[in-house]
Amino acid sequence: MTAFFKKYTLLGFFIIFTASAAGAQETLHLNVQSSLQIAFKKNNNLKIAKAKLDETAARLNQAGTAFFPKLSSQANYTRLDYAPFIPLKSFSHIFPGGGAPGGLSGGITPKKITIGRNQNYGLSISLQQPLFTGMKILNGYSIAKHSKYAAEQNCRATKNTLIFNVEQAYWTVIKAQKFEEIARESIKQMEAHVKDLQNMYHVGMLTKNELLKAEVQLSNVHLLEIKAKNAVQLSRIAFCNVLGLPLDTKITFDDSLKFIPLPFKSVREAVALAKKNRPDLRMMEENVIIGKKMVDMSKASYLPTVAFVANYGYKYPDREYNPTFYNTWTVSVVAQMNLFDWGDTYFKKQQSESQLRQIQITQKMLRDGVVLEVTESFLAAKQAQEKIRVSEKTVAQAKENFRVTSDKFKEGMATNTDFLDANALLTQARNNYISALADYRIASAKLLKAVGEPGKSR
């Protein structure tokens, strides 16, 4: 009995340990690059784009089969209610007096002569090779090929968007975490200051009103910390959502905010690179080619089609209706041409030409939109870059102002209000600097996406 309890006690401990180990969530240490690798594997939009690419590749292979001969087979079985026959009453005028043809015994004319069987079998194989189709097959293959190219560019565009979304989400988390750190530092400073003021108040060196001012500002900084904590939590959830991870995944972010120079010196350089690299522009070029091929295919209906056809059959009964199988074959060259269809071909051609004009207009609009997007992104990045320089200088000034004011307050040469103002200015300057750095990294990522080279700055 003791052995029994020992056995199942150990089993229970093992189950509890296994469940605890399964429930313990591993902390991921991620930088931007490792975050992208996870997103490339888990993001559903990218999976859909890749599946679309596989679909177009299969369609291209399918279109290539149209150049080769097609071999088909057919088997049939037919059961007739009566076997085929010739009714001899139709020939009574040939045999007057009821005489039987061919000297049939008894001079009795039969009512019918059976010439077949009520059960018929057939098996045939057919080979068909197109010889001329008015370029329909060639244009169809070309359309499938350019559709595959377009799908490749769509996959690139989806990946570029994903890279930007990951970088934006990453730096947003870092920004929120830095805000939380600044709020905690400000709280420490204010708590130390309030403690000093309380000591001064107790010895009669400070009025109650001055102490309340400091306590109110301390409460405000606590509110900032609460907002920062909420921002960190929300930004982490958004980051996990972009990567396709469980929303409660524990993550440590290893990259730090730092300034990286822009890879472009002018808007003209960025625009030129965008016109060369943007996948949506390449995709639109493929769509224009597809539109032209569709017009050519619609015109092909005016031309004849020519095909070589060969058939081989195996049938029962034979030609003389004997109960045996026999072989038969035919070879044909078939030409077919549409002579009149009430304008169906003409209207199809008009539709294709109208669709092509729509694509060409869309292409021009896209080109103009790319120039506008790149210009806006470049100017935004330059503005964010300048904001870093200004806010960095402001932080240095705010630090020095806080140090001087703090020293003066200890010596009795500055008021409590001066100290509180200096603390608030320093906190605001630090927040502005962190915001400038994060906004610059996001603006840089957006610019690189706009020119078709996301992630190049890392």
Side-chain angles (χ1 to χ4, degrees), residues 386-405:
E386 185 64 18
K387 186 179 177 181
I388 292 175
R389 186 186 65 81
V390 174
S391 57
E392 188 174 17
K393 184 178 180 181
T394 303
V395 169
Q397 294 171 342
K399 284 182 178 179
E400 181 63 16
N401 177 61
F402 179 77
R403 184 190 67 80
V404 172
T405 304

Side-chain angles (χ1 to χ4, degrees), residues 242-254:
V242 171
L243 264 63
L245 295 172
L247 301 184
D248 60 346
T249 303
K250 296 180 179 179
I251 301 173
T252 298
F253 296 83
D254 296 337

Side-chain angles (χ1 to χ4, degrees), residues 224-352:
L224 291 177
E225 184 190 25
I226 294 172
K227 290 182 179 179
K229 286 182 178 179
N230 291 338
V232 170
Q233 184 177 359
L234 290 175
S235 60
R236 281 175 171 269
I237 292 175
F239 178 78
C240 292
N241 184 56
V242 171
L243 264 63
L245 295 172
L247 301 184
D248 60 346
T249 303
K250 296 180 179 179
I251 301 173
T252 298
F253 296 83
D254 296 337
D255 277 344
S256 58
L257 281 172
K258 57 183 179 180
F259 176 78
I260 296 178
L262 290 175
F264 314 111
K265 296 181 180 180
S266 65
V267 174
R268 179 177 297 180
E269 179 186 355
V271 169
L273 188 61
K275 290 181 178 180
K276 179 181 178 181
N277 289 341
R278 280 283 290 252
D280 47 354
L281 289 178
R282 304 285 79 77
M283 183 167 55
M284 188 57 65
E285 290 175 0
E286 299 299 332
N287 288 337
V288 170
I289 296 174
I290 291 172
K292 292 178 179 179
K293 295 297 181 181
M294 291 296 293
V295 173
D296 293 338
M297 284 191 69
S298 64
K299 293 179 180 178
S301 298
Y302 289 116
L303 302 175
T305 59
V306 182
F308 170 80
V309 181
N311 295 290
Y312 181 81
Y314 197 55
K315 299 180 179 180
Y316 169 94
D318 66 8
R319 291 186 178 91
E320 297 179 358
Y321 299 106
N322 292 318
T324 57
F325 282 91
Y326 76 102
N327 302 332
T328 178
W329 59 267
T330 61
V331 175
S332 308
V333 175
V334 180
Q336 183 178 1
M337 184 173 180
N338 180 27
L339 298 179
F340 182 71
D341 58 6
W342 299 96
D344 180 71
T345 301
Y346 173 75
F347 293 129
K348 287 181 179 178
K349 181 175 72 71
Q350 277 193 327
Q351 292 177 38
S352 301

Side-chain angles (χ1 to χ4, degrees), residues 190 193-195 197-198 201 206-220 416-417 420:
M190 285 302 303
H193 181 63
V194 168
K195 186 175 181 180
L197 292 181
Q198 287 173 344
Y201 172 73
L206 189 74
T207 64
K208 182 68 173 178
N209 186 51
E210 292 297 323
L211 177 59
L212 291 175
K213 283 183 181 179
E215 290 176 343
V216 168
Q217 184 155 327
L218 177 58
S219 298
N220 290 334
N416 177 51
T417 301
L420 296 180

Side-chain angles (χ1 to χ4, degrees), residues 97-255:
L104 294 175
S105 61
I108 300 174
T109 302
K111 295 181 179 179
K112 62 181 180 180
I113 298 177
T114 301
I115 59 172
R117 294 184 174 273
N118 62 346
Q119 298 189 69
N120 296 269
Y121 303 87
L123 177 65
S124 63
I125 297 176
S126 177
L127 181 144
Q128 185 169 345
Q129 170 65 55
L131 301 178
F132 179 74
T133 61
M135 304 296 287
K136 283 184 179 180
I137 294 178
L138 184 60
N139 285 327
Y141 182 80
S142 181
I143 289 173
K145 180 176 65 175
H146 289 286
S147 295
K148 180 176 178 292
Y149 293 159
E152 290 173 352
Q153 297 304 319
N154 178 63
C155 197
R156 271 191 62 207
T158 303
K159 189 174 183 179
N160 289 355
T161 300
L162 177 60
I163 292 173
F164 169 71
N165 290 340
V166 170
E167 291 187 341
Q168 183 182 37
Y170 191 96
W171 297 123
T172 300
V173 174
I174 298 296
K175 178 180 177 181
Q177 288 179 340
K178 289 295 182 181
F179 282 172
E180 186 179 8
E181 291 176 9
I182 293 171
R184 285 200 297 265
E185 291 177 7
S186 183
I187 287 173
K188 289 180 181 179
Q189 293 173 350
M190 285 302 303
E191 285 177 342
H193 181 63
V194 168
K195 186 175 181 180
D196 292 339
L197 292 181
Q198 287 173 344
N199 293 331
M200 295 171 66
Y201 172 73
H202 289 315
V203 297
M205 297 176 58
L206 189 74
T207 64
K208 182 68 173 178
N209 186 51
E210 292 297 323
L211 177 59
L212 291 175
K213 283 183 181 179
E215 290 176 343
V216 168
Q217 184 155 327
L218 177 58
S219 298
N220 290 334
V221 177
H222 276 295
L223 290 176
L224 291 177
E225 184 190 25
I226 294 172
K227 290 182 179 179
K229 286 182 178 179
N230 291 338
V232 170
Q233 184 177 359
L234 290 175
S235 60
R236 281 175 171 269
I237 292 175
F239 178 78
C240 292
N241 184 56
V242 171
L243 264 63
L245 295 172
L247 301 184
D248 60 346
T249 303
K250 296 180 179 179
I251 301 173
T252 298
F253 296 83
D254 296 337
D255 277 344

